[in-house]
Each structure stands twice: as structure tokens, then as C-alpha cells.
Amino acid sequence: MNFYILTLFPQMFESPFSSGIFKRAIERQLVRVSIHNIRDYTHDKHHTVDDYPYGGGAGMVLKPEPIFEVVESVKSGISLNQEDDVLPVILLTPQGHSFSQQIAHELSRYRHVILICGHYEGVDERVREHLVTDEISIGDYVLSGGELAAMVVVDAVVRLLPGVLGSEASLLDDSHTAGLLEYPQYTRPVEYRNWSVPEVLLSGNHAQIAKWRREQAILRTLKRRPDLLDKANLCLEERQIVERLKDSLS
Ligand code: SAH
């Protein structure tokens, strides 16, 4: 999978992709991240990328021309297969769709994704209107630039790609994958400062362990994020358990 990140601050991307899971995925050519400096697509002596907002007001707005040109240049270097019907061109913005595990899954199916990082007060509206195919927000707060948001998106997508994590099975239980938060995890030692690992996990009884984990995931989601449960994939019996637990919690 190929990510093309368009930014005014390419140096911000130097370390995040150079360690751990990322480094391995890049070395094994499962993913490629190329960084493009928007400033390289200016034509004036001062390499101007921003300007005052029409109508007045504080801050600077990113000009449309360099952003259109960098996207067109990146696109011209990509040869799309028949199965790549669209090439997502995504603007990171606090006004976009809320990023979620589901969107991460959707993006992981593309071979190429272009991410545009805004800065200052944001980007000229014509970029939204005529260039991007989607807008993503990583949460209801305002960052100073889209770089950290782009890293969040790339990170969440890359760990879903086949072969990137050691075990694909571990993805299935991840929080938000099946609409539930993950059950509690323990590792050695079995006893630490008098706090023990739940007995059932040591039993070797896989059916019991699976049942306990499922219950814990439901209970935990109910306590912390009841909003998720409505959409979670629960069987009838589990729904009834949820209703009973809700009553006992209220
Ligand atoms: N004035 C703009 C915010 C600009 S913040 C507004 O009110 O909508 C500057 C840049 O940071 C944005 O262009 C965007 O690329 C990035 N950014 C800020 N918050 C973000 C968020 N929650 N998610 C994704 N990108 C964000």
C-alpha cells in the first residue's frame, strides 16, 4: 500500500516511520510512505504557500495553487489498476468525518491514498470543493497542523495490512473491531504485589477463557462506552445479559 503525504513540514515524518512495526512493514515492502513538500510547488521567489483570508480575519490560509499542483504531480506518477476505481485524496481537517476503525478498514483496501495536511487557519475552500474526495478529522479538537492527524491515520491503517502484525488473529479482538472494547489482558508474573491474574486464564480451558473474555468485553464496553453497544454484534443471549447488567448498574 502506498501513502503520499503532502505537507509543509516533511521533517515531522522522519522519526515516526523509522521504528517498530512501521520500520518492518516498510522494509518488507508492505507499505511505502512518500512525503511531498507543498512548498516545492510554488513558483515565486519567496515560495509563498499562504496568504491573508479574503474578507479579513486572523491567520493565514493555504493557497490553492501549490496544493492542486502537488496532488496533480503525485497522481501523474501513479498508474492505477482496473480494480483501483478511485484514488482517495483526503484532506485532514477538524471538519471532516470522524476517523474510526471502520474508516481505517475501508482505507486499508486501497493501494494508493493521498493525504493532505493543512496548517495555519486551514486551506482555501476550493481545495475541498474541487480536489479532495474525502475529509477526515481525528477528533473534536483543533491541532496546529494535519501532520499528526496523518500519522494517526497511516498508523491505524498500516497495522491492518496483511503481514504487518505478527498475528492477524490479534486484530479480531482489538477494541472497536467488533464494536466492543477489548477484554483485560494479563501477562507474567502470575502474581505481582499480591495482585493475581484471574484464575480462569490459567485454567487452560479455552472455551471457558473465550466465554470470560467475551463477558469482560461486553461488561467493559457497557461501563465505559455504552454508546458502542447499540451497534455491536451481539447474539440474543448476549443482548439479554446486557439488559440485565444495565439494570443492575443503574
Ligand atoms: N481554522 C480551521 C482549523 C485549522 S487547524 C477550522 O476551524 O476548521 C490547521 C490544520 O490542522 C487543518 O488545516 C488540518 O489539516 C489540521 N487539523 C487540525 N485539527 C485537526 C483534526 N482534529 N483532525 C484532522 N486534522 C486537523
Side-chain angles (χ1 to χ4, degrees):
M1 178 164 189
N2 299 276
F3 289 97
Y4 308 84
I5 301 180
L6 320 185
T7 172
L8 287 172
F9 298 94
Q11 64 279 17
M12 281 185 75
F13 292 90
E14 276 163 19
S15 71
F17 300 134
S18 58
S19 52
I21 283 172
F22 251 114
K23 185 172 172 215
R24 261 206 335 264
I26 290 172
E27 279 168 3
R28 289 160 64 201
Q29 303 192 348
L30 300 170
V31 60
R32 216 172 7 216
V33 182
S34 60
I35 312 293
H36 302 262
N37 192 341
I38 298 171
R39 204 175 288 280
D40 292 343
Y41 294 80
T42 52
H43 303 292
D44 63 316
K45 197 167 81 212
H46 300 290
H47 300 290
T48 313
V49 290
D50 57 348
D51 211 331
Y52 295 100
Y54 274 121
M60 302 295 272
V61 175
L62 291 186
K63 292 161 67 60
E65 309 95 304
I67 301 182
F68 272 82
E69 286 185 35
V70 63
V71 169
E72 281 155 10
S73 158
V74 166
K75 273 184 168 175
S76 70
I78 299 174
S79 58
L80 290 181
N81 285 350
Q82 260 168 347
E83 66 261 30
D84 310 315
D85 43 349
V86 267
L87 170 58
V89 180
I90 298 169
L91 177 66
L92 281 317
T93 159
Q95 304 184 22
H97 290 115
S98 292
F99 189 53
S100 62
Q101 192 65 10
Q102 193 195 330
I103 296 183
H105 271 285
E106 283 165 24
L107 289 178
S108 72
R109 296 192 195 108
Y110 291 97
R111 279 202 314 130
H112 304 275
V113 173
I114 299 179
L115 297 168
I116 306 174
C117 306
H119 234 274
Y120 314 117
E121 272 312 302
V123 302
D124 186 286
E125 189 65 16
R126 287 164 288 191
V127 169
R128 290 178 199 280
E129 286 173 346
H130 305 295
L131 186 64
V132 307
T133 60
D134 216 335
E135 301 178 32
I136 289 180
S137 163
I138 62 157
D140 291 342
Y141 38 78
V142 178
L143 303 165
S144 54
E147 286 74 15
L148 290 171
M151 289 173 204
V152 167
V153 170
V154 173
D155 186 301
V157 173
V158 164
R159 67 191 291 288
L160 296 177
L161 298 176
V164 167
L165 291 189
S167 147
E168 246 96 85
S170 67
L171 288 174
L172 296 176
D173 285 337
D174 272 343
S175 299
H176 304 294
T177 299
L180 295 174
L181 303 180
E182 195 179 51
Y183 47 80
Q185 299 269 27
Y186 294 85
T187 185
R188 271 180 281 225
V190 69
E191 187 144 327
Y192 177 64
R193 298 190 176 182
N194 268 334
W195 300 308
S196 326
V197 171
E199 203 64 43
V200 56
L201 297 178
L202 313 173
S203 68
N205 182 333
H206 295 297
Q208 283 293 330
I209 293 172
K211 182 163 174 276
W212 180 84
R213 286 183 162 167
R214 183 79 185 164
E215 283 166 5
Q216 290 294 317
I218 294 173
L219 187 61
R220 182 161 271 225
T221 311
L222 181 63
K223 282 190 183 152
R224 299 179 183 208
R225 293 291 306 277
D227 57 302
L228 297 177
L229 276 177
D230 297 336
K231 282 193 241 144
N233 202 355
L234 302 182
C235 68
L236 187 64
E237 195 191 333
E238 288 171 335
R239 287 260 165 236
Q240 287 165 348
I241 295 173
V242 167
E243 289 314 313
R244 275 206 300 279
L245 285 171
K246 265 190 193 161
D247 289 342
S248 67
L249 287 176
S250 61

